[in-house]
Amino acid sequence: MGRYIVVGLITIFLSAYSSFGIGQQANLPSQLNKKIALTTGSNYYPYVDPKAMNNGWSVSIVEAVFQQMGKQVDIDILPWQRGYKWTADGHYAGTFPYVYTEQRAESFIYSNPINLIPVRIYTNKNKVVKSLTELQEARLCLPYGYSLSREQRELIEKYQLVIHNATNAGGCVLQVAKGWSDLGFINGYLESEKNTELFESLRKVNILQIPVANVPLFYIVSRQLKNAQQQIDQFNEALEQIEQSGIRWEIDQRFETFLSAPESIIGSGY
């Protein structure tokens, strides 16, 4: 009789567990949740975005890395700050994609780069810029809370740019369009004519074709995890393997083709 009671209790437990949400599952011990719980944000085109192919370029690469390791993942979409904090606290195995900052490096270990952001500069429609040297001591608008990469900091220091702030990215575009600031940073994948439909206000500024920087994006793991360095080492090893096998190249090519296609969904319904 005791055996049937035990079986009954196990059945009840499994039924209760199956009703938990994804966020609750992320806090359960690994032996009860075989999938690796990760988190990311949204609206970071084309790296993480529901409008992009497979929910984003970074998502595709991270999934391929874990598949190479023989592991399945659950990726929760959360507000960026919340996902960052919960990962820092150890509730998630890792998060992505993030640029490197010294402040973040105090709490996280970084993987090898998973993507590159082609950073461009936009200026007022009435301002003709042929060289970055013409922007010496210009006024650069940054949204409050904007995380600068090392490459962007070097650019700011080199040309002695004066920082102005706005509430968000749209506010910076408005400042530059009105002449209150001289320039702003933008993701280079939004620079084509069709892509400016994403943000109508971008039609009010000029996006320079001058290359500024390629900023790397990373997968990061909290230093609070006992095996944090081991996890990053395994991730990097699998990332190198998909690069050597050509899987990474295939993913990159699919997204390059997707982003350059005239019928790309970038320009509609965003």
Side-chain angles (χ1 to χ4, degrees):
M1 180 66 70
R3 181 180 63 182
Y4 296 108
I5 294 174
V6 171
V7 171
L9 289 174
I10 292 174
T11 303
I12 292 171
F13 172 77
L14 291 176
S15 298
Y17 170 69
S18 66
S19 66
F20 285 6
I22 293 178
Q24 291 169 301
Q25 291 181 24
N27 294 323
L28 290 174
S30 58
Q31 65 266 28
L32 300 180
N33 181 18
K34 295 181 180 179
K35 290 187 177 181
I36 306 297
L38 309 178
T39 184
T40 186
S42 62
N43 299 322
Y44 193 19
Y45 196 91
Y47 307 101
V48 177
D49 195 292
K51 296 294 185 182
M53 182 171 58
N54 194 38
N55 293 316
W57 201 338
S58 295
V59 172
S60 293
I61 290 174
V62 168
E63 288 179 339
V65 168
F66 278 92
Q67 185 175 5
Q68 179 67 33
M69 289 191 281
K71 299 178 180 179
Q72 293 181 309
V73 294
D74 272 334
I75 302 177
D76 287 354
I77 308 298
L78 297 174
W80 287 99
Q81 290 185 346
R82 185 187 307 169
Y84 179 87
K85 183 181 186 305
W86 286 2
T87 305
D89 292 342
H91 297 300
Y92 285 92
T95 186
F96 66 94
Y98 281 89
V99 300
Y100 178 90
T101 69
E102 292 181 359
Q103 181 180 9
R104 286 177 183 159
E106 293 176 0
S107 302
F108 289 90
I109 301 177
Y110 281 70
S111 72
N112 293 336
I114 57 174
N115 284 109
L116 292 175
I117 307 174
V119 176
R120 297 291 182 267
I121 283 175
Y122 63 86
T123 62
N124 186 281
K125 275 285 188 183
N126 298 321
K127 188 176 182 65
V128 178
V129 177
K130 297 182 179 180
S131 169
L132 293 180
T133 57
E134 298 175 35
L135 298 174
Q136 191 76 24
E137 298 183 355
R139 298 164 297 175
L140 168 66
C141 184
L142 296 175
Y144 283 110
Y146 185 92
S147 296
L148 288 164
S149 69
R150 285 176 292 192
E151 295 80 3
Q152 289 169 309
R153 289 189 182 279
E154 290 172 0
L155 185 76
I156 291 170
E157 293 174 4
K158 180 177 180 179
Y159 295 104
Q160 299 177 303
L161 302 179
V162 179
I163 306 267
H164 286 195
N165 291 112
T167 303
N168 51 38
C172 277
V173 172
L174 181 63
Q175 280 201 24
V176 173
K178 290 183 175 293
W180 302 338
S181 291
D182 299 308
L183 68 145
F185 288 132
I186 191 170
N187 173 350
Y189 284 113
L190 302 181
E191 67 179 289
S192 71
E193 182 64 27
K194 66 178 182 297
N195 291 351
T196 58
E197 294 179 22
L198 274 171
F199 307 105
E200 183 64 30
S201 56
L202 285 179
R203 297 185 182 279
K204 302 175 183 177
V205 297
N206 280 328
I207 299 176
L208 306 184
Q209 298 302 311
I210 305 170
V212 175
N214 285 316
V215 177
L217 291 172
F218 303 88
Y219 170 79
I220 58 178
V221 170
S222 173
R223 291 185 181 275
Q224 288 197 27
L225 298 179
K226 292 182 180 180
N227 61 343
Q229 187 60 58
Q230 180 183 0
Q231 287 194 39
I232 285 295
D233 291 343
Q234 292 174 345
F235 184 95
N236 287 340
E237 182 180 357
L239 178 60
E240 183 177 354
Q241 289 171 349
I242 68 169
E243 289 171 350
Q244 293 176 348
S245 68
I247 294 174
R248 167 65 183 272
W249 182 86
E250 292 175 358
I251 293 172
D252 291 344
Q253 288 301 302
R254 286 201 300 270
F255 274 89
E256 292 287 359
T257 301
F258 169 75
L259 291 167
S260 62
E263 67 275 12
S264 171
I265 59 174
I266 301 174
S268 63
Y270 190 90

